[in-house]
Amino acid sequence: MREIGRGPSSGGKAPILLEVDDDARLVVGLDLGEEHFAGSLVNLRGEIRRTVELAVDGRDGDAALGLVFELLDQLLDGTTAPLLGIGIGTPGLVDSRTGTIRRAVNLDWRDLPLGEIVAERYAVPVNVANDSQAAALAEYTYAGGDRVPNLIAIRVGRGVGAGLILRGALFQGDGSGAGEIGHTVVDDHGALCSCGRTGCLETVAGMRAIEARAAAAKGRETDLEAVRTAADAGEAWATEIVDDAGAALGKAIAALVGALDVQRIVLLGPVTALGDRWLSAVRREAGSRALALLVDDVDIQVGRQTTNVVVRGASSLLVARELGLSLVR
Ligand SMILES: [Zn+2]
């Protein structure tokens, strides 16, 4: 940031005008995603300068932590601009105050002090947040003229998680776990979940559940694109899967709308690939399960930012914490 003169005085001393020098300092944003760990170097305007992506290939525990280091080493290799810090978006329940991952089922991380470990190794400030919360912040930050003060972003991939933006700020709750809706039981007689319970939202609406049902119906591995194509063509096995997955998510949304009366719901993540039929099922179920007066004006849409949304949110959170600045423009 540098001083570029003085602005008009409104009576007292004229304010100093500051301009953010684009690449004077860089931030790293990481998305520890389901299939890939991705990271970007981002400048203080939120512009991405370099991106590296590494396949997870089933790694978990210490091996997954090693992959985080590898990703950071590659990203930072040859970088000369000072690094403001590292913002990390990760699946699971995260204590953002300490940067500890309390539990990330799919990566087999439990009480992992990721923030501390990374801060020590790279000697910069680190902020760790849940990936859905980071994504929600990015949806808010980069909404441009369409920005609204309250929004709920829901990421639907292997896991299902929501991020809540209330009055223009990320709401994390008492234990940083606000929006962790994926392990709410929606089907008392449902399938066994990775968390040990049965019938969690993830076991109906999540990517693995959808692919498993599709594989059982077709007798071979079937991805989301194939499910969508078959559902769009009206094949009963696929329409059933898509409608059920959408309806389960719609139920969860009805509960969120009932609790918070937030009207903008943005859906993100791999499962949005199921397309319009899925979106219609989500809307129909949410509409039929919440108080009509509350739900009439609710706008459920698929997010416009399909890539980098967690990376950008994680870097925004780091900048907000370190500089007290927001990347909103
Ligand atoms: Zn569960």
Side-chain angles (χ1 to χ4, degrees), residues 182-184 193-197 200 202-203:
H183 298 282
T184 304
C193 181
S194 55
C195 75
R197 285 200 178 144
C200 294
E202 279 188 22
T203 68

Coordinates of all heavy atoms in Angstrom, one line a residue, residues 182-184 193-197 200 202-203, ligand 1:
G182 N -23.9 -31.4 7.0 CA -23.8 -32.7 6.3 C -24.1 -33.9 7.2 O -24.4 -35.0 6.6
H183 N -23.8 -33.8 8.5 CA -24.0 -35.0 9.3 C -25.3 -34.8 10.2 O -25.4 -35.4 11.3 CB -22.8 -35.3 10.1 CG -21.6 -35.6 9.2 ND1 -21.5 -36.9 8.6 CD2 -20.6 -34.9 8.7 CE1 -20.4 -36.9 7.8 NE2 -19.9 -35.7 7.9
T184 N -26.2 -34.1 9.7 CA -27.6 -34.1 10.3 C -28.3 -35.2 9.7 O -28.4 -35.4 8.5 CB -28.3 -32.7 9.9 OG1 -27.5 -31.6 10.3 CG2 -29.6 -32.6 10.6
C193 N -22.9 -43.8 7.4 CA -22.2 -42.6 7.0 C -20.7 -42.8 7.5 O -20.4 -43.6 8.4 CB -22.8 -41.4 7.6 SG -21.9 -39.9 7.2
S194 N -19.8 -42.0 6.8 CA -18.4 -42.1 7.2 C -18.2 -41.6 8.7 O -17.2 -42.0 9.3 CB -17.6 -41.2 6.3 OG -18.1 -39.9 6.3
C195 N -19.2 -40.9 9.3 CA -19.0 -40.4 10.6 C -19.4 -41.5 11.7 O -19.3 -41.3 12.9 CB -19.8 -39.2 10.8 SG -21.6 -39.5 11.0
G196 N -20.0 -42.6 11.2 CA -20.4 -43.7 12.1 C -21.9 -43.8 12.3 O -22.4 -44.8 12.8
R197 N -22.6 -42.7 12.0 CA -24.1 -42.7 12.2 C -24.7 -43.2 10.9 O -24.0 -43.5 9.9 CB -24.6 -41.3 12.4 CG -24.3 -40.9 13.8 CD -25.2 -39.8 14.2 NE -25.0 -39.3 15.5 CZ -25.1 -38.0 15.9 NH1 -25.4 -37.1 15.0 NH2 -25.0 -37.7 17.1
C200 N -27.2 -39.7 7.5 CA -26.8 -38.3 7.4 C -27.2 -37.7 6.1 O -27.3 -38.5 5.1 CB -25.3 -38.1 7.7 SG -24.8 -38.6 9.3
E202 N -25.3 -36.3 4.0 CA -24.3 -36.8 3.0 C -24.7 -38.1 2.4 O -24.3 -38.3 1.3 CB -23.0 -36.9 3.7 CG -22.2 -35.6 3.9 CD -20.8 -35.8 4.4 OE1 -20.2 -36.9 4.3 OE2 -20.3 -34.9 5.0
T203 N -25.3 -39.0 3.2 CA -25.6 -40.3 2.6 C -26.7 -40.3 1.6 O -27.0 -41.3 1.0 CB -25.9 -41.3 3.8 OG1 -27.2 -41.0 4.3 CG2 -24.9 -41.3 4.8
Ligands
ZN1 ZN -22.5 -38.6 9.0

